[in-house]
């Protein structure tokens, strides 16, 4: 496995985890209201940035990565994307977020991205 592939794997996995944490934290802060609402919006915006970067890296690993680690990491990132959608959905329901449909619409991209990465990984492994 090349150094570039290993670096991409570590970076993709780290960004995917940060994406998930920022997504749920942003939703919790924005549902608190007041001054924390702006903090929540900033966290959600950061989560989308980290999610886009992680998606690009994990898709590149799934399509062009060499070695088993690249396929495993891209598969884990795909699962993380799907899990982020489920976590955001559950958090929005539990917290009674008034902008529930906006969060579902935005983070449905996470679900679609996760399915795409998992599909690309499965095609590559076969």
């Amino acid at each position: 496995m090349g150094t570039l592939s290993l670096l991409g794997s570590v970076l993709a996995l780290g960004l995917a985890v940060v994406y998930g944490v920022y997504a749920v934290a942003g939703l919790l802060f924005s549902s608190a209201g007041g001054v924390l609402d702006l903090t929540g919006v900033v966290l959600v915006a950061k989560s989308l940035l980290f999610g886009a970067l992680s998606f690009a890296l994990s898709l590149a690993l799934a399509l062009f990565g060499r070695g088993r680690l690249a396929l495993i990491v891209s598969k884990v990132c795909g699962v993380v994307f799907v899990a982020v959608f489920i976590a955001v959905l559950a958090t929005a329901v539990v917290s009674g977020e008034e902008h529930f449909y906006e969060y579902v619409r935005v983070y449905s991209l996470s679900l679609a991205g996760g399915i795409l990465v998992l599909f690309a990984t499965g095609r590559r492994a076969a």
Side-chain angles (χ1 to χ4, degrees), residues 4 25 44 54 70 74 100 112 118-119 124-125:
L4 189 60
V44 167
S54 178
S74 62
F100 173 76
L118 289 172
F119 180 72
R124 172 88 179 198

Side-chain angles (χ1 to χ4, degrees), residues 14-88:
L15 286 172
V17 169
V18 170
Y19 165 59
V21 170
Y22 273 24
V24 172
L27 182 60
L28 288 174
F29 275 110
S30 67
S31 65
V35 176
L36 294 179
D37 190 24
L38 181 60
T39 304
V41 170
V42 170
L43 286 174
V44 167
K46 284 183 180 181
S47 81
L48 294 176
L49 174 68
F50 288 129
L53 291 173
S54 178
F55 170 72
L57 281 171
S58 59
L59 189 60
L61 282 172
L63 295 175
F64 308 115
R66 295 198 175 139
R68 261 179 88 79
L69 182 63
L71 289 176
I72 290 170
V73 167
S74 62
K75 191 172 282 194
V76 167
C77 286
V79 170
V80 166
F81 293 142
V82 173
V84 165
F85 174 74
I86 293 169
V88 165

Side-chain angles (χ1 to χ4, degrees), residues 71-113:
L71 289 176
I72 290 170
V73 167
S74 62
K75 191 172 282 194
V76 167
C77 286
V79 170
V80 166
F81 293 142
V82 173
V84 165
F85 174 74
I86 293 169
V88 165
L89 189 66
T91 305
V93 168
V94 169
S95 68
E97 177 61 39
E98 62 188 45
H99 302 292
F100 173 76
Y101 294 109
E102 285 83 7
Y103 282 103
V104 171
R105 188 176 59 221
V106 168
Y107 284 102
S108 64
L109 294 173
S110 178
L111 178 65

